[in-house]
Amino acid sequence: MLLDLFLWLILMAASVLRRRVKRGWVWNQFFVLEEYMGLEPLYIGKLHSDMDKGDGSIRYILMGEGAGTTFTIDDSTGDIHAIQRLDREFKSQYVLRAQARNRLTDRPLEPESEFIVKIQDINDNEPRFEDGPYVASVPEMSKIGTSVIQVTATDADDPTYGNSARVIYSILEGQPYFSVDAKTGVVRVSLADMDREIRENYTVVIQAKDMGGQLGGLAGTTTVNITLSDINDNPPTFDQRLYQMSVPESAPVGTVVGRIWASDRDTGVNAHMRYSIVDGDGRDTFDISTDPAPLDFETKLSYTLKVEGANTVVDPASRHRASFRDVTIVHVSIEDVDEPPVFDLPEYYVELPEDAEIGTVLKAVSARDPDAANHTVRYSIDKGSDLEKFFYIELTTGALMTVRALDREELGWHNITVLAMEMNNPTKISSVSVAIKVLDVNDNAPTLSHYLETFVCENAKAGQLIQAVTALDPDDPLGGHRFHYSLAPEAQNNPNFTLRDNQGIDTRHQYHPLLEHNRIKLNSHLN
């Protein structure tokens, strides 16, 4: 006897052709969408034997992967259903076997045959930056287009089906200083002549969005903390245009007449310099020496020098009497200079849910006085970085806390500057950047996108689609939105109309709401 297998694909405008094969099943690779969340089991297909007269004498059985646990079959009708949620990222296909048997004798009426149910992907995974947050540096004054770093986001959805795993990068924070290549994720300089001596640190927020960046795609973000490294772009500058010095005429050669000093806004080796006399009527009388390295009281408190004096002309006959040279020890003590406090981190990054209670402590920043005196440090927030006064910092402990309610839908990021000041010398101040990301909580109810006024003909057929409604929600949950629709209580008893819910199909979104459609159908003709 011959058996036919039918597959009714859910949410697909395709059907599987039925054909007959002698002593075998008609099979194909059956495609079913993942993440079905309806209240009723998902209908997969139907087994039927030509010998089935509808009297219940034939029993259909299902075997293989997931048979009895994920898939069930009605042994009388041959209907196959999925009774568990299917997740392509967990298992992409199932191999099943089917057979028809005589219910009384259990004798096979057909050899068992094998078929495959393939789980088709939907966009239910947002891109993730596995290596974030990132830290990078780029030389100051770099040209526009200079590469800084490449960020990479991965998407667990199927890259071979649709655009669910096609990631597009964009920059949410950090313009106009930096840009990101939409396809490669390479962060580049987008503003010329950025000067480290004016601003050294930048926080850039990068978004990766799937579905090719289209409306409704899922998104993930990461931060890139970029530091401008120093180049030698500042000349030395003397603190005076004219120095007045005097020296006794009796001063021996080598006497220190005075000290001049030039400052350089660069750092490290770019700030090292040498001094020389290039002109004047005293070029043969005076000399100038350059300090080989800067002095640091906290690194080395003193230096010990061994100085030798020797005659330049020695009588050969007297060489055996003495060495005609002598040595002495010179001890030089370094005096301490007051320096500003130093933070334990170059920048801080904090995440905080938007429903955090007022007074919640985000982070405790810490700075110390690098000087030997180790004076007490006091903390404050730069008023210009927190104009709306969302945060407060405890004066002595550095504990940063909220003083106003946060709302991610209004402001998702806060970038504030914390100041540290020495108690005994208020002129010694240091600053550090604190980037605060506000995490989403489900604090907004979905709303219908617009008011609808619908007309229908009086001879409309039952089941006819007359209107699709949409809803949106400004929240951004990690699990995505799942909207459920129903008629208002005053309309539920109307026998002429019904609303078909979308059965919880995933409608995640990141920064733009994804509209979810439902259908309103007529149950019967209008009188």
Side-chain angles (χ1 to χ4, degrees):
M1 296 297 176
L2 299 179
L3 298 171
D4 297 314
L5 179 63
F6 299 93
L7 175 67
W8 303 95
L9 297 181
I10 304 302
L11 298 179
M12 296 181 60
S15 62
V16 178
L17 296 177
R18 182 178 62 185
R19 54 196 177 95
R20 295 175 181 271
V21 178
K22 185 177 182 180
R23 297 191 56 79
W25 294 103
V26 177
W27 48 359
N28 280 288
Q29 291 183 345
F30 305 139
F31 296 89
V32 180
L33 287 177
E34 66 172 340
E35 303 292 351
Y36 173 79
M37 299 292 291
L39 300 178
E40 299 295 328
L42 175 63
Y43 183 66
I44 302 297
K46 184 181 184 67
L47 301 180
H48 182 73
S49 172
D50 288 345
M51 298 181 65
D52 192 345
K53 306 303 181 183
D55 57 0
S57 62
I58 292 179
R59 181 169 64 92
Y60 298 96
I61 61 173
L62 190 68
M63 299 163 287
E65 294 178 327
T69 57
T70 303
F71 302 95
T72 61
I73 186 170
D74 187 315
D75 66 351
S76 297
T77 65
D79 291 331
I80 302 174
H81 291 85
I83 58 175
Q84 297 289 338
R85 182 177 64 91
L86 302 175
D87 186 354
R88 188 203 66 85
E89 285 72 36
F90 174 74
K91 188 173 179 61
S92 61
Q93 69 177 31
Y94 294 81
V95 179
L96 296 169
R97 303 188 309 277
Q99 191 174 48
R101 292 174 174 267
N102 186 286
R103 186 176 296 275
L104 296 178
T105 65
D106 201 35
R107 180 175 60 85
L109 302 177
E110 193 84 21
E112 67 179 42
S113 293
E114 185 178 273
F115 62 94
I116 297 174
V117 176
K118 283 197 171 183
I119 311 305
Q120 201 163 32
D121 187 53
I122 66 171
N123 189 20
D124 60 340
N125 291 278
E126 67 272 13
R128 294 181 179 273
F129 293 90
E130 301 295 340
D131 298 326
Y134 297 83
V135 176
S137 65
V138 64
E140 64 177 331
M141 300 295 174
S142 292
K143 295 181 180 179
I144 294 176
T146 300
S147 175
V148 180
I149 192 176
Q150 184 175 23
V151 299
T152 303
T154 58
D155 194 313
D157 290 319
D158 187 357
T160 65
Y161 180 75
N163 293 324
S164 296
R166 183 185 168 211
V167 175
I168 294 296
Y169 301 91
S170 61
I171 186 168
L172 301 181
E173 183 175 344
Q175 303 100 330
Y177 311 104
F178 299 94
S179 62
V180 63
D181 188 286
K183 295 182 178 179
T184 65
V186 174
V187 179
R188 300 183 184 276
V189 173
S190 61
L191 183 65
D193 300 329
M194 287 193 291
D195 193 352
R196 185 201 66 85
E197 286 72 37
I198 296 178
R199 180 176 176 182
E200 183 176 6
N201 298 308
Y202 296 80
T203 298
V204 178
V205 180
I206 302 295
Q207 173 184 270
K209 191 173 185 180
D210 60 21
M211 296 297 292
Q214 297 177 4
L215 179 67
L218 309 184
T221 61
T222 190
T223 58
V224 183
N225 295 309
I226 301 176
T227 300
L228 297 185
S229 58
D230 187 62
I231 65 171
N232 193 1
D233 61 334
N234 292 279
T237 304
F238 287 100
D239 58 348
Q240 294 178 219
R241 290 288 89 189
L242 175 66
Y243 292 84
Q244 295 283 0
M245 301 178 184
S246 62
V247 60
E249 62 179 346
S250 59
V253 174
T255 298
V256 175
V257 179
R259 178 178 292 271
I260 61 176
W261 181 77
S263 62
D264 194 322
R265 297 175 67 193
D266 296 317
T267 61
V269 296
N270 294 323
H272 292 177
M273 64 189 75
R274 64 179 179 86
Y275 298 84
S276 61
I277 298 174
V278 295
D279 201 0
D281 58 2
R283 296 177 62 182
D284 298 329
T285 305
F286 297 92
D287 192 14
I288 188 169
S289 62
T290 303
D291 294 332
L295 302 176
D296 188 357
F297 177 86
E298 287 72 39
T299 303
K300 191 171 178 62
L301 299 178
S302 63
Y303 293 83
T304 300
L305 307 176
K306 185 177 183 180
V307 181
E308 179 187 86
N311 293 133
T312 56
V313 179
V314 180
D315 187 347
S318 302
R319 289 184 182 277
H320 66 282
R321 298 180 183 178
S323 64
F324 294 95
R325 65 186 61 221
D326 197 7
V327 297
T328 188
I329 303 299
V330 179
H331 187 79
V332 181
S333 298
I334 309 302
E335 297 178 353
D336 188 25
V337 176
D338 197 5
E339 297 176 272
V342 177
F343 285 91
D344 60 351
L345 292 175
E347 61 265 336
Y348 292 84
Y349 172 77
V350 183
E351 294 183 348
L352 185 69
E354 64 178 329
D355 63 346
E357 296 182 357
I358 294 177
T360 298
V361 176
L362 287 71
K363 184 80 175 180
V365 302
S366 177
R368 63 176 181 84
D369 180 5
D371 300 317
N374 194 20
H375 293 119
T376 302
V377 175
R378 294 290 182 263
Y379 303 91
S380 62
I381 296 176
D382 186 348
K383 295 180 180 179
S385 66
D386 187 24
L387 296 175
E388 297 184 29
K389 297 181 180 180
F390 283 94
F391 305 97
Y392 167 80
I393 192 167
E394 211 284 326
L395 184 66
T396 58
T397 65
L400 188 64
M401 61 189 71
T402 59
V403 293
R404 285 185 56 188
L406 304 177
D407 189 353
R408 187 201 65 86
E409 287 71 34
E410 291 186 3
L411 190 58
W413 286 85
H414 296 265
N415 289 286
I416 64 174
T417 300
V418 173
L419 306 177
M421 178 185 67
E422 283 187 19
M423 185 67 177
N424 69 317
N425 189 352
T427 64
K428 299 300 179 181
I429 301 175
S430 297
S431 64
V432 69
S433 297
V434 181
I436 303 167
K437 180 179 181 180
V438 182
L439 302 179
D440 184 65
V441 297
N442 190 9
D443 58 347
N444 291 278
T447 58
L448 293 178
S449 59
H450 56 279
Y451 173 79
L452 299 173
E453 185 175 5
T454 303
F455 298 91
V456 62
C457 296
E458 64 177 355
N459 60 349
K461 296 181 179 180
Q464 179 178 328
L465 173 66
I466 62 173
Q467 183 64 57
V469 298
T470 62
L472 56 86
D473 190 327
D475 289 321
D476 182 33
L478 291 177
H481 287 296
R482 298 187 184 278
F483 293 126
H484 294 275
Y485 297 79
S486 62
L487 292 174
E490 61 270 21
Q492 290 180 352
N493 294 326
N494 191 326
N496 295 314
F497 299 94
T498 184
L499 181 145
R500 180 181 176 184
D501 187 43
N502 64 353
Q503 301 174 330
I505 292 176
D506 197 342
T507 61
R508 302 186 190 187
H509 71 280
Q510 187 69 18
Y511 290 94
H512 302 283
L514 173 62
L515 301 183
E516 180 61 33
H517 296 275
N518 288 272
R519 298 176 178 177
I520 299 177
K521 293 186 176 181
L522 291 175
N523 274 338
S524 60
H525 292 288
L526 291 175
N527 294 323

